[in-house]
């Protein structure tokens, strides 16, 4: 319990630092920072690219159209969103939803690393190419749906970004949407194993 309180305090400090941050130009056009939200003891952390318009207005991650699809994907496998932790590589909205520059990603990276240090998850799920490239080099199409070793025993399980799925509506076998529905089930199985055997119980 003592550690839980310490983690909560640490996460609050990180969120305060994010809210005050002006380290890159995205601070000039944001309405709100979007630090991330959820269970800071979750064994799984989802990491997207950056906030969109709805997220910028609300200060919450994955609440726009892509976020609503993301919720459906989670629910389809039996995940409960508030039991997971969800954040982005950059914490302020890139104008016109452009891809954040490498300088912006670099400026913001210590916040994500600090969040991950507090949560200490078993699995990180990079959503889309920008998040994937934060953690490892590779193509999202080739990497999705597979586990990779990262640092400190943490595994990566890349998946398509939900906004990519919004642009690719087909549900045919082999389509990005159909593959994502397969991936989320694999992830849920791993989550269930961790929950059944403790935080060190992942055997996949
Ligand atoms: S995107 Fe990150 S580094 Fe840039 S201003 Fe926002 S919090 Fe700071």
């Amino acid at each position: 319990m003592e550690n839980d309180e310490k983690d909560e305090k640490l996460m609050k400090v990180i969120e305060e630092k994010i809210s005050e941050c002006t380290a890159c130009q995205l601070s000039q056009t944001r309405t709100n920072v979007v630090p991330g939200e959820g269970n800071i003891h979750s064994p799984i952390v989802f990491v997207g690219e950056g906030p969109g318009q709805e997220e910028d207005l609300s200060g919450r991650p994955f609440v726009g159209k892509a976020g609503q699809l993301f919720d459906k994907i989670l629910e389809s496998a039996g995940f409960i969103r508030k039991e997971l932790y969800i954040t982005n590589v950059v914490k302020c909205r890139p104008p016109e939803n452009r891809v954040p520059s490498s300088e912006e990603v670099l400026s913001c990276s210590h916040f994500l690393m600090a969040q991950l240090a507090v949560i200490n998850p078993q699995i990180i799920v990079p959503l889309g190419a920008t998040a994937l490239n934060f953690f490892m080099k590779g193509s999202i199409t080739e990497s999705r749906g597979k586990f990779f070793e990262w640092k400190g025993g943490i595994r990566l399980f890349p998946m398509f970004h939900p906004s990519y799925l919004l642009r690719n509506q087909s549900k045919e076998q082999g389509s990005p949407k159909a593959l994502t529905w397969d991936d989320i089930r694999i992830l849920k199985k791993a989550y269930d194993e961790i929950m059944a055997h403790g935080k060190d119980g992942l055997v996949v």
Side-chain angles (χ1 to χ4, degrees):
M1 186 54 86
E2 220 170 78
N3 278 348
D4 287 1
E5 278 175 23
K6 200 172 138 207
D7 290 346
E8 274 158 29
K9 276 187 190 154
L10 277 171
M11 195 57 103
K12 281 227 156 54
V13 171
I14 296 166
E15 287 170 4
E16 278 164 23
K17 298 274 179 210
I18 293 171
S19 69
E20 295 161 358
C21 180
T22 55
C24 84
Q25 59 183 351
L26 299 183
S27 64
Q28 293 164 21
T29 47
R30 74 181 176 219
T31 311
N32 290 295
V33 294
V34 185
E37 68 178 23
N39 172 14
I40 64 165
H41 304 296
S42 171
I44 298 183
V45 173
F46 290 85
V47 181
E49 178 177 285
Q53 187 177 28
E54 298 291 325
E55 290 77 15
D56 175 63
L57 292 173
S58 66
R60 295 184 55 213
F62 285 88
V63 293
K65 272 195 178 157
Q68 286 158 22
L69 176 58
F70 182 58
D71 287 350
K72 276 191 196 155
I73 295 165
L74 292 177
E75 281 165 18
S76 77
F79 277 117
I80 297 170
R81 176 171 162 147
K82 68 177 193 308
E83 292 178 354
L84 305 164
Y85 193 85
I86 301 165
T87 187
N88 284 299
V89 171
V90 293
K91 314 303 187 190
C92 304
R93 183 192 181 202
E96 311 301 325
N97 295 346
R98 65 163 168 76
V99 176
S101 69
S102 49
E103 289 79 15
E104 289 156 358
V105 169
L106 190 64
S107 301
C108 212
S109 60
H110 65 108
F111 288 131
L112 177 55
M113 293 304 282
Q115 289 173 316
L116 293 172
V118 171
I119 300 168
N120 190 25
Q122 289 276 84
I123 302 171
I124 296 169
V125 181
L127 295 168
T130 301
L132 176 67
N133 289 322
F134 181 86
F135 295 102
M136 62 178 258
K137 291 286 157 237
S139 126
I140 189 70
T141 308
E142 285 168 16
S143 311
R144 56 133 284 277
K146 297 179 191 140
F147 284 97
F148 298 89
E149 291 288 338
W150 190 54
K151 293 178 187 171
I154 299 174
R155 291 176 192 221
L156 302 174
F157 185 77
M159 289 176 55
F160 287 126
H161 194 286
S163 61
Y164 176 70
L165 303 179
L166 285 177
R167 299 192 298 272
N168 292 273
Q169 289 286 356
S170 166
K171 292 180 185 163
E172 295 289 301
Q173 199 181 355
S175 67
K177 255 192 173 170
L179 293 171
T180 297
W181 255 256
D182 293 343
D183 295 348
I184 199 72
R185 281 180 179 76
I186 295 170
L187 189 64
K188 182 64 164 57
K189 191 165 171 273
Y191 176 84
D192 289 343
E193 280 175 18
I194 295 167
M195 298 313 280
H197 303 291
K199 223 178 173 187
D200 299 320
L202 183 60
V203 289
V204 292

